[in-house]
Amino acid sequence: MNTEAELINSLDEAQGKNPLEFPFGFYIEDDHQQSAGGSFFWYKTEKEMQQAIKNDFINALFDGASDDIAAVKTEIASLIEQSTPNVEGDDLLNSLNLVLREIELRLQFMGSFDDLCKSKNEWAKYFRESYREECLDDIEDISSKKLQSSIKKAEQDDFADFVSDYLI
């Protein structure tokens, strides 16, 4: 079993990675009224990403009783294992968030960098709009729909840099 310091170090390493090199990730927010911060975490494989969600995050951030930790981890593992890849993205996020709500966390995104670039999910569209608002000049004449559109190949390097540095 990893120590809390090892788990936090592992999570720190996953923050700020380039999603072009580590293409599977998630964005999670602290749902405490006082802080409401969030960050992306990126991994080489989907399995590594799921493992981090199922174990590392809960062990590092949850300070409740060990029975509570085990119950949350079991429920999250069950939801992830029962999901169908690339089909139930929003449904899986919603189900996971019902469990995570009890420990004041919320997943906004979970998937591949390509998903973040192209997804029709409302949060992904909002995030792409935030990127373009920050990186483009003269956006007043650009519609919100255009700002939220998929990230094109020519934009991916800049978008990956934006994602790597994004932290609330």
Side-chain angles (χ1 to χ4, degrees):
M1 178 186 226
N2 293 338
T3 67
E4 185 175 344
E6 290 172 327
L7 291 170
I8 290 174
N9 186 49
S10 172
L11 292 170
D12 284 346
E13 288 177 6
Q15 271 183 320
K17 285 190 175 176
N18 185 329
L20 293 172
E21 296 173 38
F22 297 85
F24 293 93
F26 58 92
Y27 182 86
I28 195 159
E29 290 179 338
D30 161 344
D31 230 2
H32 292 91
Q33 273 188 315
Q34 307 289 323
S35 56
S39 183
F40 278 104
F41 297 84
W42 294 98
Y43 301 88
K44 276 281 190 200
T45 67
E46 185 174 25
K47 186 174 182 159
E48 286 177 7
M49 174 195 67
Q50 290 174 344
Q51 196 65 28
I53 293 169
K54 291 191 292 189
N55 292 312
D56 297 354
F57 236 94
I58 303 307
N59 287 340
L61 300 178
F62 193 83
D63 56 4
S66 61
D67 290 345
D68 295 337
I69 293 171
V72 168
K73 284 173 56 175
T74 299
E75 197 165 349
I76 288 172
S78 176
L79 289 168
I80 288 173
E81 289 163 12
Q82 291 173 15
S83 69
T84 306
N86 300 322
V87 175
E88 302 177 31
D90 288 342
D91 289 341
L92 177 58
L93 271 181
N94 292 335
S95 297
L96 289 170
N97 281 328
L98 287 174
V99 176
L100 292 170
R101 181 184 319 168
E102 295 178 28
I103 55 174
E104 297 183 339
L105 294 173
R106 180 177 356 138
L107 278 168
Q108 293 288 14
F109 170 79
M110 181 176 72
S112 69
F113 179 65
D114 193 54
D115 294 337
L116 186 60
C117 290
K118 297 177 182 174
S119 174
K120 296 195 185 321
N121 167 288
E122 287 302 315
W123 190 86
K125 291 190 311 187
Y126 158 80
F127 188 76
R128 292 191 298 262
E129 183 174 3
S130 297
Y131 156 71
R132 289 185 171 118
E133 285 174 345
E134 181 143 333
C135 297
L136 297 178
D137 296 327
D138 262 347
I139 62 165
E140 292 79 27
D141 295 332
I142 303 174
S143 72
S144 187
K145 185 175 181 175
K146 186 81 168 166
L147 291 171
Q148 294 177 357
S149 67
S150 295
I151 299 295
K152 309 296 183 242
K153 277 280 190 209
E155 295 177 284
Q156 283 190 353
D157 286 341
D158 288 338
F159 186 57
D161 289 340
F162 178 80
V163 170
S164 299
D165 294 336
Y166 193 80
L167 179 68
I168 294 180

